[in-house]
Every structure is written in C-alpha cells, then in structure tokens.
Amino acid sequence: MTFADDAIAWYDQNARDLPWRQPGTTPWAVLVSEVMLQQTPVVRVEPAWNAWMARWPTPADLAADPPSEAIRMWGRLGYPRRAMRLHACAAAIVERHGGTVPDDLDQLLALPGVGTYTARAVATFAYGQRHPVVDTNVRRVVARAVEGKPDAGPNTTPADLVAVAELLPEDVKRAARASIAFMELGAIVCTARSPRCPQCPFASTCAWRATGQALPEGPSRKPQRYAGTDRQVRGLLLEVLRHATGPVPRHRLDMVWQDETQRARALAGLLEDGLVELLGTDDFILAGDAPPTAPIPLGLTPPS
C-alpha cells in the first residue's frame, strides 16, 4: 500500500457527504463550490451553494444577469469580490468556451478570478485529471506525515506542488481520488490545532509523530479580527445596498456606521473594487444596477 492508497482507503470510508461531490455534479457546480469555499467553512457554504445552483445552474444563466444579482445572492458569505469574479468568470466561459467550463488547465487559469489552486481543483475534481491540488489542508498533511514537520508554510510554493505530485498514483482516476482524500484528511483529521491522530490512516507511519515534537504554542495563523474593522463596515454598507429597490442616497449610508473617516474609507474601497457604483453625485447602487439610459426621441439631439 502506498501513501495515496492509504489515504484513498480512509476517504472511501469517511468522506463527508457534500452536494458538490455527488455523481453527476457539473464542472460549473464544482467551480462555484471551490470559489465559495475559499476562506469560508463548509457549514456556511452548503446552503449558499444550493441556492446559487438552483438559480444559476449554468454559466450562461449567471452571465445573463447583471453582477449586482450575484452580489445580492452572495449575501453574508464574506469576501463579496468573489461574487464579482464568479460573474466575470461565467461571462468569459460563455464568450470563450460556448458556456462550457473548459477542461484544459491553461484555459482554466486564463479565466477571471481563477488561480493556481482553483484551476487544478476544477480540472481534478470535475474532470478527473491528474494534478497536484494543494491547499493549506494538503500542505499540512504532507508536512506532518511525510516531512516530519508540525505544520506547513503559510503559502503554497512550487516545491509544494512537486511534493504532492510525487505522491499521486500514475493512474489518472486514482490520482484524482487521492487529491480529494489528502484534502479531506487535512480538513477533518489532521487539523491545525487539534489533530485526531488515532483516527488517521498514517498514525503508525507519520514522520511528525515519530519525532515526538509537540505543536507550536498558539495558533499557526493569527485569526483575523472582524468586529470594528473596515470589512465589517463594508459588509454593513453592502447590506443596505443589497436590499434597496433603487439608488441609495449617501445620508442613508451614513447611518450604518458612526465613524465618518472609517465609513468613507470603506465606501471608497467598495467603489474601487467595483462592487458599488456612484449614480449622479450622491447616490449609490450595486455594480450593474444602473437604470438603462432613456432613448433620445427622434428629431432631438443630445445637449452638448
């Protein structure tokens, strides 16, 4: 039995029953799940994913709506720029690939908002290809079980891709299965602060356990504060705009946060990110919500 075989055998018995893993799940559904799962736990993603796929089961369905609808549907999932990227990605898939998510890695990497991890995840989990799919969970499993380290580095490096690729079986289908197994192990067993070592398929062979090293003191990553940050203020501003039925005047947005400087900074950030647009001189809308320009009656010319 190889490292990958042990991981696959464990996964076959212990994998979580997640909707985007069901047989017949489309590549578009896998892509949406991967974008939503970035920096967001499964428990919050699952209902949002179900609602999103019910409304926009294909890239063409999403591309046909304005980006403001994607932002509204994103709700309070966090990091709403991901909604904009998904909308831009859907439009690119329709324009470049006839509405079908491409299966070529380079074409996936060329899509808006699709990076190294997401492209490989879609190629592997949706199309069953052989690629190293490396996130923080996979890095942690490899660092501990193979390299004997208590934790992995904060970011994926080319060396990480090489290390994981060397662990994948040559058989393409089993390689794809191994990739999801490594990830699942890191997510629910080989966790950052409370690893469940007795339940791990590598309990007797783990290089880190053999060293006898303890986990380092404190969290491996400093948790991000939310309360009182610009992120919280941005979320409050977006919440007003998501539920508005028309342009929102500045004085209405002024009511959501007392600190004028921070509120102005958060609003400026939303405008810069393209999530919000200025209508006229003092009204605000979600991106794509601008009313159509009234046609000019025949025989009249627009003012100079």
Side-chain angles (χ1 to χ4, degrees), residues 78-155:
Y79 302 99
R81 278 177 290 182
R82 291 181 293 172
M84 295 283 288
R85 290 171 187 153
L86 262 178
H87 187 276
C89 188
I93 290 169
V94 171
E95 180 181 350
R96 303 174 194 173
H97 306 288
T100 300
V101 177
D103 60 2
D104 178 78
L105 183 59
D106 289 335
Q107 291 179 340
L108 286 165
L109 286 166
L111 293 173
V114 174
T116 298
Y117 166 79
T118 303
R120 284 172 169 76
V122 172
T124 300
F125 303 147
Y127 290 111
Q129 297 177 10
R130 185 184 187 278
H131 297 287
V133 184
V134 183
D135 70 351
T136 185
N137 292 313
V138 174
R139 291 201 313 274
R140 187 166 55 250
V141 169
V142 174
R144 289 174 177 170
V146 178
E147 300 171 356
K149 302 174 183 176
D151 215 335
N155 300 305

Side-chain angles (χ1 to χ4, degrees), residues 56-280:
W56 297 306
T58 71
D61 293 319
L62 176 57
D65 276 343
S68 55
E69 289 304 301
I71 300 170
R72 285 193 175 89
M73 198 68 173
W74 199 259
R76 300 186 66 83
L77 203 56
Y79 302 99
R81 278 177 290 182
R82 291 181 293 172
M84 295 283 288
R85 290 171 187 153
L86 262 178
H87 187 276
C89 188
I93 290 169
V94 171
E95 180 181 350
R96 303 174 194 173
H97 306 288
T100 300
V101 177
D103 60 2
D104 178 78
L105 183 59
D106 289 335
Q107 291 179 340
L108 286 165
L109 286 166
L111 293 173
V114 174
T116 298
Y117 166 79
T118 303
R120 284 172 169 76
V122 172
T124 300
F125 303 147
Y127 290 111
Q129 297 177 10
R130 185 184 187 278
H131 297 287
V133 184
V134 183
D135 70 351
T136 185
N137 292 313
V138 174
R139 291 201 313 274
R140 187 166 55 250
V141 169
V142 174
R144 289 174 177 170
V146 178
E147 300 171 356
K149 302 174 183 176
D151 215 335
N155 300 305
T156 300
T157 67
D160 293 320
L161 295 174
V162 172
V164 174
E166 291 176 348
L167 297 172
L168 297 178
E170 289 302 319
D171 180 80
V172 174
K173 288 186 177 180
R174 283 192 67 77
R177 192 75 169 169
S179 289
I180 190 63
F182 297 159
M183 191 170 297
E184 190 78 338
L185 266 170
I188 66 176
V189 173
C190 192
T191 59
R193 301 312 307 162
S194 303
R196 297 155 60 190
C197 295
Q199 301 179 32
C200 180
F202 309 124
S204 62
T205 60
C206 177
W208 168 56
R209 292 193 79 193
T211 68
Q213 293 182 68
L215 288 173
E217 292 289 334
S220 56
R221 287 187 177 187
K222 185 178 180 180
Q224 290 186 336
R225 184 172 61 90
Y226 180 74
T229 64
D230 286 3
R231 277 187 58 215
Q232 182 185 14
V233 183
R234 284 165 60 103
L236 293 171
L237 294 169
L238 279 179
E239 189 71 7
V240 173
L241 292 161
R242 272 200 300 265
H243 291 92
T245 56
V248 177
R250 186 184 296 271
H251 69 78
R252 172 67 183 86
L253 295 178
D254 288 346
M255 297 169 63
V256 307
W257 196 256
Q258 186 174 5
D259 187 324
E260 181 179 355
T261 300
Q262 188 177 23
R263 187 179 65 244
R265 184 171 63 242
L267 183 57
L270 292 172
L271 289 165
E272 184 178 351
D273 290 342
L275 290 161
V276 173
E277 297 174 356
L278 178 63
L279 191 65

